[in-house]
């Protein structure tokens, strides 16, 4: 029960890494607020978790949604102890593109940044306000290994995730200087098998071969699971990490430790 009594908000929690974080946090004693724009999926996640969870609609790119979410959380829970800014898009499927630096479509660029960067900035803004009265609070921002290295054909995604990495440090220092009981850290997953890969991997034997190729280039020899990221988030959210703020934690099977760090153009 490492999060017993903690009030937690997880964005983008309807599937993938966000869903896994919500499940693990609930199992560790937290009261979890599941949020997403995919209402049906998000409601199913909250229902699966039972009485320790509830669902709210939250488009992280819209400040009005954050204001309403803050109002609900204040009214029902009196504040917040943990915020996981997980919601994000790769942009390749969600926008018209292209996303390379020479031909990038500026509207697609803005759309990716509105979700991945503005969503995190707004989350931190309203999260800080909800957490200032907590005894021990934590913001966990989900960035990416793509926020540390370049991605030639997904520049908006890489740029947005790099900005999340830096904004995390600014928030950490701001909260420390204000003597707020709030820590802020970022997690940088790489090669985690989630639904975002479906369109890139194909089906059947093609999918199996694609996974084998990806795994062969990872030092630990396999793709990661959403729960691998969830356990990292659990540590940073818990009071075990009370002296940890402003760091970046890589969950990538060792990719960033060596020369294979640069992924192929469609691997974000």
């Amino acid at each position: 029960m490492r999060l017993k009594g903690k009030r937690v908000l997880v964005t983008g929690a309807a599937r993938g890494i966000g869903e896994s974080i919500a499940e693990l946090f609930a199992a560790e004693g937290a009261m979890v607020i599941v949020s997403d724009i995919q209402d049906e999926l998000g409601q199913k996640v909250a229902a699966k978790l039972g009485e320790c969870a509830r669902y709210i609609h939250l488009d992280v790119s819209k400040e009005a949604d954050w204001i309403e979410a803050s109002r609900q959380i204040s009214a029902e829970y009196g504040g917040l102890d943990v915020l996981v800014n997980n919601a994000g898009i790769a942009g390749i499927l969600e926008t018209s593109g292209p996303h390379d630096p020479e031909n990038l479509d500026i509207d697609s660029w803005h759309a990716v940044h509105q979700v991945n960067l503005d969503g995190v900035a707004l989350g931190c803004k309203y999260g800080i306000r909800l957490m200032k009265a907590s005894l021990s609070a934590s913001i966990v921002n989900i960035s990416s290994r793509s926020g540390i290295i370049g991605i030639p054909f997904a520049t908006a995604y890489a740029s947005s995730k790099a900005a999340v990495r830096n904004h995390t440090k600014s928030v950490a220092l701001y909260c420390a200087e204000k003597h707020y009981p709030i820590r802020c850290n970022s997690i940088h997953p790489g090669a985690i098998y989630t639904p975002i890969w479906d369109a890139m991997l194909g089906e059947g034997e093609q999918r199996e071969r694609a996974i084998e190729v990806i795994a062969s280039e990872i030092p630990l020899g396999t793709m990661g699971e959403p729960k691998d990221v969830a356990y990292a988030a659990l540590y940073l959210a818990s009071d075990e990490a009370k002296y940890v703020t402003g760091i970046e934690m890589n969950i990538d099977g060792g990719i960033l430790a060596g020369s294979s760090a640069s992924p192929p153009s469609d691997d974000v």
Side-chain angles (χ1 to χ4, degrees):
M1 304 298 283
R2 295 162 70 184
L3 297 179
K4 185 176 181 180
K6 298 280 190 183
R7 300 158 296 179
V8 176
L9 171 63
V10 184
T11 69
R15 62 177 189 166
I17 290 172
E19 178 182 4
S20 185
I21 290 173
E23 290 177 348
L24 181 60
F25 281 23
E28 290 290 342
M31 173 62 212
V32 181
I33 304 161
V34 176
S35 71
D36 209 294
I37 59 172
Q38 301 183 78
D39 295 332
E40 185 175 350
L41 291 177
Q43 289 165 356
K44 287 181 179 179
V45 171
K48 178 175 59 175
L49 298 182
E51 294 182 356
C52 65
R54 63 155 297 187
Y55 175 78
I56 62 171
H57 178 90
L58 174 58
D59 181 340
V60 298
S61 69
K62 297 180 179 179
E63 187 160 19
D65 278 24
W66 277 106
I67 292 172
E68 175 58 21
S70 297
R71 185 197 65 77
Q72 292 183 46
I73 292 168
S74 294
E76 296 183 32
Y77 305 105
L80 202 62
D81 302 299
V82 178
L83 167 63
V84 182
N85 283 313
N86 168 73
I89 60 173
I92 305 302
L93 299 178
E94 298 89 349
T95 66
S96 59
H99 286 267
D100 66 89
E102 181 180 7
N103 304 294
L104 70 84
D105 173 68
I106 196 64
D107 289 334
S108 299
W109 171 277
H110 288 317
V112 172
H113 281 79
Q114 284 169 356
V115 177
N116 294 0
L117 177 56
D118 296 356
V120 169
L122 289 169
C124 291
K125 174 182 178 177
Y126 288 97
I128 289 171
R129 297 179 182 186
L130 288 166
M131 293 175 166
K132 288 192 290 187
S134 173
L135 295 176
S136 177
S138 173
I139 299 173
V140 181
N141 294 328
I142 306 298
S143 179
S144 169
R145 65 166 171 161
S146 301
I148 299 175
I149 57 176
I151 309 294
F153 292 93
T155 55
Y157 182 80
S159 170
S160 66
K161 291 300 187 178
V164 168
R165 176 193 188 199
N166 188 269
H167 190 64
T168 296
K169 299 177 188 299
S170 296
V171 171
L173 293 176
Y174 174 85
C175 291
E177 290 178 3
K178 289 287 188 178
H179 301 291
Y180 294 156
I182 306 169
R183 298 173 293 101
C184 186
N185 299 286
S186 62
I187 295 177
H188 298 256
I192 305 297
Y193 187 70
T194 67
I196 200 172
W197 287 84
D198 288 343
M200 294 181 275
L201 294 176
E203 301 292 338
E205 292 184 5
Q206 177 186 347
R207 175 184 292 265
E208 295 303 318
R209 287 196 300 270
I211 292 174
E212 288 176 2
V213 170
I214 294 168
S216 70
E217 298 175 351
I218 299 171
L220 290 184
T222 183
M223 293 185 73
E225 301 175 0
K227 185 165 283 190
D228 295 323
V229 182
Y231 275 115
L234 173 61
Y235 167 68
L236 293 175
S238 75
D239 291 339
E240 299 162 15
K242 64 182 180 63
Y243 200 58
V244 179
T245 195
I247 73 159
E248 53 205 50
M249 183 179 292
N250 301 332
I251 310 297
D252 66 355
I255 295 172
L256 288 174
S259 60
S260 65
S262 183
S265 59
D266 60 354
D267 176 9
V268 295

